[in-house]
Amino acid sequence: QKEVEQDPGPLSVPEGAIVSLNCTYSNSAFQYFMWYRQYSRKGPELLMYTYSSGNKEDGRFTAQVDKSSKYISLFIRDSQPSDSATYLCAMMGGSNSGYALNFGKGTSLLVTP
Amino acid sequence: DTAVSQTPKYLVTQMGNDKSIKCEQNLGHDTMYWYKQDSKKFLKIMFSYNNKELIINETVPNRFSPKSPDKAHLNLHINSLELGDSAVYFCASSQDWDRSYEQYFGPGTRLTVT
């Protein structure tokens, strides 16, 4: 079992829909949880990061972490065609377990006008 | 005003050749990384340097050798290229080791080995 599992999709939604992207993980040492967005033929860019459990909101994006269930989510409200990209979740431990990022395989999202 | 740059952007070469990929960051960061993204889009860490010191050295063939001449540069040299080395290679940087959760990625180098 990989440490980070993510459904690759593709996920297709109409413009304006609420999008829910999810990842599960197995390593309880993970403390930092990130979401990166990658447009086709570009490098990943950091959208948001969360430390430990809880919610974090940034504009139309909300990240949720449930450490008890080892489950993280990214919600996109009022989705736009410009949100069409691959979304990668990433996780890492803290000083005692190393700072290497562990990525999911990414979920491909298509927002249609 | 590019933050993390890589050269070349595309690299097509034959099996058995030796090639290098260069990475530079102008963010003043202390930590730099090399990742490999395979055809299934899976992004995996290969190496990490902090202040020119090797911190992460994942299980990659020793045909891959990173070199950090200074904090702003991290190059990747690959000897005896194989078909399986075909992938997109990304360089990234973070302010320091403690802020590895906030990494800035370059545009990638698409390597094709024929």
Side-chain angles (χ1 to χ4, degrees), chain A residues 14-113:
Chain A
E15 183 175 356
I18 296 176
V19 176
S20 172
L21 304 167
N22 312 293
C23 289
T24 59
Y25 63 96
S26 57
N27 189 341
S28 57
F30 289 148
Q31 296 187 42
Y32 293 87
F33 304 90
M34 285 68 69
W35 286 96
Y36 282 80
R37 177 176 62 196
Q38 185 175 21
Y39 290 114
S40 181
R41 296 192 172 250
K42 301 286 187 186
E45 58 174 324
L46 180 66
L47 279 176
M48 303 174 70
Y49 75 89
T50 309
Y51 177 72
S52 195
S53 283
N55 294 355
K56 190 171 186 178
E57 187 173 323
D58 184 0
R60 296 184 294 111
F61 298 88
T62 299
Q64 285 186 354
V65 175
D66 182 348
K67 290 187 74 177
S68 62
S69 302
K70 295 191 177 67
Y71 188 86
I72 71 169
S73 301
L74 177 71
F75 297 96
I76 307 174
R77 289 185 300 281
D78 187 25
S79 55
Q80 303 295 308
S82 59
D83 294 328
S84 299
T86 297
Y87 289 80
L88 302 155
C89 64
M91 308 177 187
M92 74 178 208
S95 56
N96 293 329
S97 56
Y99 287 123
L101 288 190
N102 296 269
F103 281 89
K105 286 193 173 183
T107 298
S108 176
L109 172 66
L110 177 66
V111 181
T112 56

Side-chain angles (χ1 to χ4, degrees), chain B residues 49-68:
Chain B
Y49 272 73
N50 186 57
N51 269 321
K52 301 196 299 174
E53 181 184 345
L54 183 64
I55 298 294
I56 293 176
N57 185 358
E58 289 294 310
T59 308
V60 300
N62 56 17
R63 298 181 294 104
F64 290 79
S65 53
K67 278 197 172 55
S68 182

Side-chain angles (χ1 to χ4, degrees), chain B residues 62-103:
Chain B
N62 56 17
R63 298 181 294 104
F64 290 79
S65 53
K67 278 197 172 55
S68 182
D70 55 58
K71 281 195 326 181
H73 296 85
L74 180 61
N75 304 322
L76 184 65
H77 188 75
I78 315 171
N79 288 327
S80 304
L81 278 155
E82 301 178 356
L83 292 176
D85 297 332
S86 295
V88 182
Y89 292 84
F90 287 101
C91 176
S93 72
S94 63
Q95 185 174 328
D96 51 43
W97 188 231
D98 285 345
R99 292 182 67 93
S100 293
Y101 53 82
E102 189 172 357
Q103 294 186 22

